[in-house]
Amino acid sequence: MSTVSRLTARARQTCIASSSRSALALPQFRPLSVVPQIRSNSIAGQRIASASIVNPSRRWASTATQLKEDEGEEAEEAAEEKWPVRVLPQLKDGDRARLRRQRNVGISAHIDSGKTTLTERVLYYTGRVRDIHEVRGRDGVGAKMDSMELEREKGITIQSAATFCDWVSSPPPNETPVGGEINEQKENFAINIIDTPGHVDFTIEVERALRVLDGAVLVLCAVSGVQQSQTITVDRQMRRYNVPRVAFINKMDRAGANPWRVIGQLRSKLRHNAAALQVPIGSEDKLQGVVDIIRMKAIYNKGEKGNQVVESDEIPADLLDLVKEKRAELIENLSEADETLCDKFLNEEPISNLDIAQAVRRATVALRFCPVLMGSAIKNTGVQPVLDAVCQYLPDPSEIHNQALDATLPANAPPIPLVPAGDAALVGLAFKLEEGRFGQLTYMRVYQGTLRKGHMIINARTGKRVKVPRLVRMHSNEMEDVDSIGAGEICAIFGVECSSGDTFTDGKTTYTMTSMFVPDPVISLSIRPEGTETPNFSRALNRFQKEDPTFRVHVDSESKETIISGMGELHLDIYVERIRREYGVACVTGKPRVAFRETITQPVNFEYTHKKQSGGAGQFGRVMGRIEPMEFDPDTGKDTEFSNQMIGNAVPHQYIPAIEKGFQEALDRGQLTGHPIIQCRFVLTDGLAHVVDSSELAFRMASLGAFREAFPKAKPVILEPVMTVEVVAPVEFQGNVIGAMNQRKGTIVDTEVRDEEFTLIAEVALNDMFGYASQLRGLTQGKGEFSMEYKKHAQVMPYLQKEMMDAFQNKTVK
């Protein structure tokens, strides 16, 4: 009763809120066997509205409401547009049967949390590999999913790797009628798995994997817990694409393992409604197994490498009280997330094991709950229950509402739901490119229809028609030829030229998928080949730039040097090494360059006239307005804007695009250091044109001149990228690490001491972080490690700004 009294008020409020949410959010139309969860996609940080599924017998309608301010009074205007009638395809019995046993999951986490080690055990227990090899194994083989030579040498995952396997598990609890018992009968499930990198420099690999997956396993270290930099980044990426997840607390065999602290961090740091589904039997070197607190069974791993799962109804007596406590806690957390269980709880009705399991699945698929499992991959303990949880609690492809846009409709048209029916029009997304032994290998997720070998498909972006010469399922660097791939599955095709993010159809539809979010690079290097330049150098750069959207290449207009840009030092070092190994071109790199930016700090009015007379028709254009600071808009992903607030036709409308073009041209090169200008808005209020002498060129030059004249008056400043740095090192080196961080002018945000190691989180300018890896190794006797990710651009110190401006002026004069 104490638990009931504590929760009653909060649960009642939660149930009411949940009921209101569901009443507002559920679409009016649901294809058969589709749970009403909407997948929002992102275009460079811009979200697509996702409540646009309506009854196919009705017309699609969107109401645009614009508030206008007129003499202090606000008037509301609504305009209704009619969209084409859409008859959505229906799932057939065969589609439902196949999709119910299909899972597409990614394994994501902070670096060194054990993702690849967990995947290796999954492949072993599912029969995909004959033996287990470690990430840093002594046999020289290495983990199956780390197929690249560099990955095995460094012991890290650089590229995401896809595989598939079959697993025999109990059916999802939602298939069992209410009032029954949990179905223990085993059935076969097909699982597509993508193992992703943990290092923040390779975040695009995680981004594009989560873009096409239906669920994820978030791996956490039982000792380190929620590690700030990459764990929060991965969680943010999962939220961006609305990916349901289960958490697996790994490394329960390590000294200092504390799963309850990690669950607390899931709640406090990541804001998840998380609760454990298991209680460990022992910990650290005495870890023996886990207790399933839903079915109230003890689970042990026996046999060679833990391949035999032994279940027992006898729970160790010393754990019985803890198991009952955690079971009550699980019901409490689920009652906040699931309305059905909440009603049972408040009415004090008996809650069965099936009720709990069904509530876990409903809340997990609806993104309101995160179930937590635990074990040790390296000790072969608790891995099979993770596979069971993937099959039972994560959604199948038919339960995720993926959406597309119609390329023939305006940008404000509502998105179109995709139904994973096998006989529907084909819609597939190429989400990853890779140079294989037989040409370009294109990884594709099929959202609708069926992709068949030998059939013709059309690239929606280019309109090019191509034939599918070879269709394969990937198993790391190995492949298995197949004749067809159904909706909701992941495959790879050879011999199709395209770019990452391209949509493919069979010509029966004009749909196109939205692309993934691509972060901007933060660091650059100059690069040139040793000796004479060969075609292999440019071939390598072109290939890597095509495969990785965060890897950019350009030629500096002044120095004529080739500049490569990326997400960090390790990111660029890996590509330089790959150029040497894969293309036989040794390269020389210059000093790292930071992606500085310029901006203004106050608004300034301008009135500029561009006038040039050289006989005959001249050039004339006058623009008036102001430039002003602008904040980054998270909804659109933009921090620069051209705003036309001109009243009347002082400047003919055909010249307005030329004025905007001049503004964009001015942003490319700042006047302080020559770096691009950000966080700036150009407001055009008036102007003047000449009947004969005005032209697009004249107004483009007028806009460019106006900006360059006003920019120095707007108190411009230089911005530099600031990184969030996380350092983990033994406690005895804490003073040295903090002192070194202070020397680099870092702002310490948080510190945490646990057992024998501590974690330091600081914000440091990227320009001050060069060489830190070597310094940290020296300070901690090689025992410390760090990671960092981009946080924001911030103003540089005044003395540094003066030095940079003087250096730029001297360089310009020369």
Side-chain angles (χ1 to χ4, degrees), residues 200-391:
V200 70
D201 282 18
F202 310 108
T203 185
I204 189 64
E205 294 289 334
V206 185
E207 192 81 35
R208 55 187 172 192
L210 293 176
R211 168 67 179 81
V212 299
L213 293 173
D214 304 323
V217 178
L218 178 64
V219 184
L220 301 166
C221 176
V223 179
S224 303
V226 176
Q227 294 162 292
Q228 284 289 115
S229 58
Q230 187 63 5
T231 307
I232 292 178
T233 299
V234 167
D235 183 72
R236 188 187 307 122
Q237 290 168 321
M238 291 181 182
R239 292 178 189 272
R240 179 179 293 131
Y241 300 111
N242 288 343
V243 178
R245 75 217 70 173
V246 299
F248 176 63
I249 300 178
N250 193 23
K251 301 188 179 183
M252 284 294 300
D253 60 303
R254 283 185 56 185
N258 186 349
W260 315 120
R261 180 178 61 83
V262 179
I263 293 175
Q265 291 177 336
L266 271 172
R267 296 168 180 166
S268 61
K269 293 185 177 181
L270 299 184
R271 305 297 179 188
H272 281 304
N273 179 13
L277 304 188
Q278 298 172 340
V279 169
I281 303 175
S283 63
E284 300 180 357
D285 58 341
K286 297 180 181 178
L287 180 67
Q288 301 175 32
V290 294
V291 176
D292 184 338
I293 63 178
I294 296 180
R295 299 185 299 135
M296 297 298 284
K297 291 181 180 289
I299 303 174
Y300 302 93
N301 286 90
K302 305 291 184 181
E304 183 182 0
K305 299 180 180 177
N307 57 2
Q308 295 179 12
V309 180
V310 178
E311 294 187 352
S312 172
D313 292 329
E314 296 183 10
I315 298 174
D318 59 332
L319 289 178
L320 200 54
D321 291 340
L322 179 62
V323 169
K324 291 180 180 178
E325 177 190 338
K326 294 302 177 184
R327 182 180 169 96
E329 183 181 307
L330 172 63
I331 295 173
E332 180 177 336
N333 284 81
L334 277 173
S335 297
E336 297 181 8
D338 184 72
E339 184 179 353
T340 304
L341 191 69
C342 181
D343 291 339
K344 281 182 172 286
F345 188 80
L346 293 178
N347 295 330
E348 298 186 22
E349 299 177 12
I351 297 176
S352 66
N353 295 349
L354 180 63
D355 291 332
I356 300 175
Q358 289 180 335
V360 170
R361 192 177 203 279
R362 284 193 300 266
T364 302
V365 172
L367 298 170
R368 293 196 292 265
F369 181 72
C370 178
V372 182
L373 300 97
M374 50 196 71
S376 172
I378 195 74
K379 296 297 183 183
N380 310 312
T381 303
V383 175
Q384 290 93 334
V386 176
L387 282 167
D388 291 335
V390 166
C391 298

Side-chain angles (χ1 to χ4, degrees), residues 154-172:
K154 294 181 176 292
I156 62 172
T157 301
I158 295 172
Q159 287 187 331
S160 58
T163 187
F164 64 97
C165 59
D166 294 324
W167 180 244
V168 177
S169 178
S170 301

